Amino acid sequence: MTAQVQTFGTLADGTTVERISISGGSLSAHILTYGATVQDLRLSGVDYPLVLGSPVLEAYLGPMTYFGAIVGRFANRIANGCFELEGRTFHVPTNWRERHALHGGTVGTGQKIWTIGALTEDSLRLDLILPDGDMGFPGEMQVHAYFTLSAGDLAIAIKAQTDTASPCSFAHHGYFNLDGAADVTSHLLRINANKYLPVDNDLIPTGEVAAVERTTFDFLTARELGTNGIDHNFCLSNAQLPLRPVAELCSIKSGITMSVETTEPGLQIYDGAYIPKTGLQGLDGRLYGQFGGIAMETQGWPDAPNHVDFPSSTLQPGDTYLHKMRYRFRQKSN
């Protein structure tokens, strides 16, 4: 199938949102210019999508904000929407419980229009310029998101450069469901992390780096995800490393396994506990309810700008941020 570009919808200001279709190996994907969002992802021979998405733009402007998007310029939370950098104090709009910044503020990269920079049958590059001062962050930042499909792999790379020192941590915020069931609580999850970040009642890291042993966060051996209400960072390393496997998700029902590879020091696991119980209208007429999908977001550690002992999230002029991730899908043959 050749790559296609179609109109997906129109924003209130008249801006057109496009949907790009690419395919490679056994995968096909639809990606939106709004938020660099993976709107749909299909595996050959499987009659349901592997991700949660919406057939209409309006959902992404409201109840399905962040679903499948590239979020940043700082993914996850910044306590009190405030941080200090090189002797200056910066403020980011507080869009999390009206007290903290989440995913780059009220209009982060997941809510901006990206432009198509390059397109082939199995790959796509989307580009974005974040002006100096955008959402309170310093520095003009050039951002590129690369999507490539091959075999059963979805590879995503995010590249960024800045002209002023700035926090920089992007994440792909896709929600996965490997068997098309109403929830993912029976999916088996394994994570190569023996530490995690405890959080307060606002889901802000306390600063402690705790062992997963004998806690609900111990996934060193694969076990069912369950209904624990997890929205926490798992500490994979203290710095970026070469691309390596860090986690695996598996559905016994479908026989589909998804391994997660990344260069990043953190993996945010969100089990979908806060998806409304009443449900959100999704792809193929599906209704997504509580625990309907799991987000596995490779990224820097949350609130890193406020913790000198966390892996640094500051991008300096002249340096290049390069975040690689790969989701590898395999299905056992009957």
Side-chain angles (χ1 to χ4, degrees):
M1 183 180 75
T2 58
Q4 295 181 341
V5 180
Q6 300 174 314
T7 297
F8 185 71
T10 306
L11 299 177
D13 65 0
T15 302
T16 297
V17 174
E18 294 176 311
R19 184 178 74 173
I20 305 100
S21 303
I22 59 174
S23 61
S26 55
L27 288 175
S28 59
H30 295 316
I31 301 165
L32 307 180
T33 53
Y34 181 83
T37 297
V38 176
Q39 180 250 346
D40 199 347
L41 182 67
R42 307 273 174 156
L43 182 64
S44 178
V46 176
D47 63 359
Y48 52 84
L50 300 176
V51 297
L52 308 191
S54 174
V56 295
L57 176 61
E58 288 73 19
Y60 293 102
L61 308 180
M64 293 178 69
T65 300
Y66 309 130
F67 276 49
I70 298 293
V71 296
R73 78 173 70 178
F74 188 84
N76 216 307
R77 296 164 178 86
I78 296 178
N80 302 308
C82 180
F83 64 92
E84 291 187 6
L85 182 60
E86 298 187 341
R88 296 176 59 194
T89 300
F90 298 90
H91 297 275
V92 184
T94 51
N95 58 327
W96 172 250
R97 297 185 178 173
E98 301 181 350
R99 293 187 289 276
H100 312 286
L102 176 66
H103 296 325
T106 48
V107 187
T109 58
Q111 295 125 302
K112 295 184 185 293
I113 297 294
W114 299 57
T115 58
I116 300 173
L119 177 62
T120 70
E121 179 180 342
D122 60 5
S123 68
L124 167 68
R125 190 191 85 220
L126 293 175
D127 302 331
L128 184 66
I129 298 177
L130 299 173
D132 178 31
D134 182 62
M135 293 291 105
F137 290 97
E140 179 179 286
M141 188 173 286
Q142 308 272 346
V143 189
H144 308 282
Y146 302 81
F147 302 85
T148 305
L149 300 179
S150 61
D153 301 349
L154 166 62
I156 303 175
I158 306 167
K159 186 177 181 179
Q161 293 179 312
T162 181
D163 61 5
T164 303
S166 176
C168 179
S169 175
F170 295 89
H172 170 62
H173 204 295
Y175 289 83
F176 298 94
N177 183 317
L178 302 184
D179 57 23
D183 61 63
V184 294
T185 58
S186 64
H187 280 40
L188 302 180
L189 177 64
R190 180 177 57 79
I191 304 172
N192 301 339
N194 56 20
K195 296 185 183 298
Y196 78 105
L197 296 183
V199 297
D200 63 18
N201 290 335
D202 281 346
L203 301 180
I204 302 296
T206 63
E208 178 188 5
V209 180
V212 301
E213 187 178 7
R214 289 193 287 273
T215 73
T216 57
F217 306 100
D218 187 350
F219 289 95
L220 288 167
T221 300
R223 63 180 177 86
E224 286 192 355
L225 183 61
T227 57
N228 294 300
I230 296 173
D231 194 356
H232 294 72
N233 176 75
F234 288 77
C235 306
L236 305 173
S237 61
N238 290 316
Q240 275 196 333
L241 294 173
L243 188 72
R244 79 284 189 196
V246 297
E248 185 175 88
L249 185 70
C250 177
S251 165
I252 299 297
K253 177 182 176 182
S254 67
I256 297 176
T257 296
M258 181 184 80
S259 63
V260 180
E261 301 178 358
T262 188
T263 54
E264 298 311 286
L267 174 67
Q268 185 81 9
I269 296 293
Y270 169 46
D271 61 11
Y274 300 112
I275 297 176
K277 293 180 181 180
T278 52
L280 302 173
Q281 202 67 46
L283 300 171
D284 297 352
R286 297 176 180 276
L287 194 65
Y288 305 140
Q290 190 178 32
F291 303 108
I294 177 176
M296 303 181 71
E297 309 157 56
T298 65
Q299 57 186 241
W301 292 13
D303 202 30
N306 290 313
H307 295 270
V308 295
D309 53 339
F310 284 9
S312 175
S313 64
T314 301
L315 179 63
Q316 296 287 349
D319 292 341
T320 298
Y321 167 91
L322 181 58
H323 172 179
K324 295 180 180 180
M325 70 199 86
R326 182 162 57 193
Y327 300 95
R328 313 196 75 177
F329 299 91
R330 301 293 184 265
Q331 185 174 28
K332 293 180 180 179
S333 56
N334 293 328

